[in-house]
């Protein structure tokens, strides 16, 4: 069902866990399947994501897309990270089965929630 690239990332996911001293956290649930993903990030004063990690109770596609998306935003500014779409993540993974595309939305949503919350906390 999954291509080799997805299976490779699923078997050896990167950036799994929780960032020490994180200052941004986002947790989202997937409406389609009920699975959950959480992302933690440490964002520096210049708005650069110094580190990011994820935890998910999702399927192989959720693990692979979360790992890939997390890797794609480390070192980026929060504005750049907000532009990351699930399509780019799926392309990076060389495709997902159509019935698994909804899994790739978890990471994109969690990144958005974490950055939103971070910005709100900075505004206070
Ligand atoms: Fe729930 Fe994939 S089936 S995240």
């Amino acid at each position: 069902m999954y291509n080799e690239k997805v299976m490779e990332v699923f078997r050896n996911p990167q950036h799994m866990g929780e960032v020490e001293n994180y200052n941004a956290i986002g947790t989202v649930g997937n409406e389609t399947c009920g699975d959950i993903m959480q992302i933690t990030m440490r964002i520096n004063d210049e708005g650069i994501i110094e580190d990011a990690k994820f935890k998910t109770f999702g399927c192989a596609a959720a693990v692979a897309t979360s790992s890939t998306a997390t890797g794609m935003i480390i070192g980026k500014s929060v504005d750049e990270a907000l532009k990351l779409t699930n399509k780019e993540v799926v392309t990076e993974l060389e495709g997902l089965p159509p019935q698994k595309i909804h899994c790739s939305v978890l990471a994109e949503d969690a990144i958005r929630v974490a950055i939103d919350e971070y910005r709100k906390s900075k505004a206070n």
Side-chain angles (χ1 to χ4, degrees):
M1 171 169 160
Y2 295 116
N3 69 36
E4 240 334 281
K5 175 109 188 206
V6 173
M7 287 311 291
E8 188 188 306
V9 179
F10 171 62
R11 284 192 211 103
N12 301 297
Q14 306 289 306
H15 320 294
M16 220 167 173
E18 191 171 288
V19 173
E20 240 177 78
N21 302 324
Y22 65 81
N23 55 5
I25 181 167
T27 308
V28 293
N30 192 310
E31 279 175 22
T32 312
C33 62
D35 289 334
I36 291 172
M37 184 210 167
Q38 179 186 75
I39 190 159
T40 49
M41 304 179 203
R42 194 172 53 249
I43 302 169
N44 71 16
D45 291 342
E46 281 77 47
I48 304 296
I49 299 166
E50 289 182 335
D51 201 3
K53 289 190 176 168
F54 76 95
K55 286 182 189 169
T56 184
F57 297 98
C59 63
V63 172
T65 52
S66 301
S67 172
T68 302
T70 309
M72 287 169 89
I73 60 166
I74 294 174
K76 296 235 170 95
S77 70
V78 288
D79 287 331
E80 283 171 317
L82 283 173
K83 287 189 202 137
L84 181 72
T85 64
N86 71 313
K87 281 202 185 100
E88 288 172 272
V89 176
V90 172
T91 301
E92 184 71 20
L93 283 166
E94 296 167 7
L96 276 178
Q99 72 272 27
K100 287 283 162 184
I101 294 294
H102 72 90
C103 314
S104 66
V105 180
L106 272 178
E108 181 188 332
D109 285 351
I111 290 166
R112 197 151 292 146
V113 169
I115 293 175
D116 272 3
E117 293 298 318
Y118 168 79
R119 286 190 161 155
K120 273 188 217 150
S121 72
K122 287 291 248 188
N124 292 330

